[in-house]
Amino acid sequence: MTTAFFVTGTDTEVGKTLVSCALLHHLRRTHARVVGMKPVAAGTIDLPGGPDNEDAVALRAAGSLAVPRGLDNPYCLPLPLSPHLAARAAGQVISVDLLADRYRQLAALADAVVVEGAGGFHVPLNDTQTGADLAERLALPVVLVVGLRLGCLNHALLTAEAVRARGLRLAGWVANRIDPAMSSVADNIATLAARLGAPMWADVPRMAAPRPDQVVWLEGAGRD
């Protein structure tokens, strides 16, 4: 069976891509064909091969299996907006059915897949569905990235509650030290460890330049 995880976060810009890439590197130690998936990416940059999304590019670089872009990033939308708004501006409608089908095709090719969600768990994908609906459809164990800053306790606990309300298992969580000025970091991590009801997989220090291959994983991380 394919090992697979759905990575979500307490908010946008909390380090989901860094953690997803790090998890890909970690899984490459025990799996031959490892690939990342960014179902919906909003915001592109100009590259020699044409416009692309930075997160999708990073996931490809971290994996070990090359696949068509239509599989690992079905929706690459130009504007850096909430997915439903970025899709609307591009004259598209995001289909959860299509995303689930592309994931199934990808999983059939790989030994391990890391699916990185967009924004937070309930970010809107279209007029009626959110990232939570996609996670529920894929039915994968969830990894929660907690961006350590003021307010993260509430955001983390609410997200964990939302994950479980969808019948999904919170496989683990990662503390990402995004705010160098945050006070009582150790106490906040201890509070999360006591209340999230899932194992902590990694404590990621603030990095001047992201190095996903340097993230240290704790015992049991990446086991589904």
Side-chain angles (χ1 to χ4, degrees), residues 3 15 27 53 70-71 92 94-95 169 175 180 192 207 209 211 215:
T3 297
L27 290 170
N53 176 264
L71 291 186
Q92 299 184 53
I94 295 170
S95 167
R169 181 169 66 88
L192 290 166
M207 301 179 182
R211 289 291 307 274
V215 170

Side-chain angles (χ1 to χ4, degrees), residues 23-168:
L23 185 54
L24 287 167
H25 280 283
H26 182 60
L27 290 170
R28 285 174 63 172
R29 300 174 185 173
T30 51
H31 299 75
R33 299 170 301 171
V34 177
V35 67
M37 181 183 188
K38 183 75 175 179
V40 180
T44 59
I45 57 173
D46 291 326
L47 295 174
D52 209 338
N53 176 264
E54 285 185 289
D55 294 350
V57 170
L59 290 170
R60 291 185 193 113
S64 62
L65 176 67
V67 299
R69 285 173 55 172
L71 291 186
D72 68 11
N73 181 208
Y75 291 97
C76 186
L77 306 166
L79 297 182
L81 302 170
S82 174
H84 73 302
L85 298 178
R88 186 181 301 166
Q92 299 184 53
V93 176
I94 295 170
S95 167
V96 170
D97 290 337
L98 181 145
L99 294 175
D101 178 69
R102 298 294 168 83
Y103 167 76
R104 284 192 293 270
Q105 294 183 53
L106 197 59
L109 300 172
D111 301 311
V113 184
V114 174
V115 181
E116 182 194 340
F121 190 60
H122 267 296
V123 68
L125 298 181
N126 53 45
D127 288 344
T128 61
Q129 295 172 300
T130 73
D133 293 293
L134 174 60
E136 184 177 1
R137 179 72 65 85
L138 299 183
L140 302 178
V142 176
V143 180
L144 174 60
V145 180
V146 181
L148 293 181
R149 60 188 176 203
L150 189 62
C152 70
L153 300 182
N154 177 60
H155 294 159
L157 295 173
L158 283 174
T159 303
E161 184 176 289
V163 166
R164 292 184 174 115
R166 293 293 180 133
L168 301 172

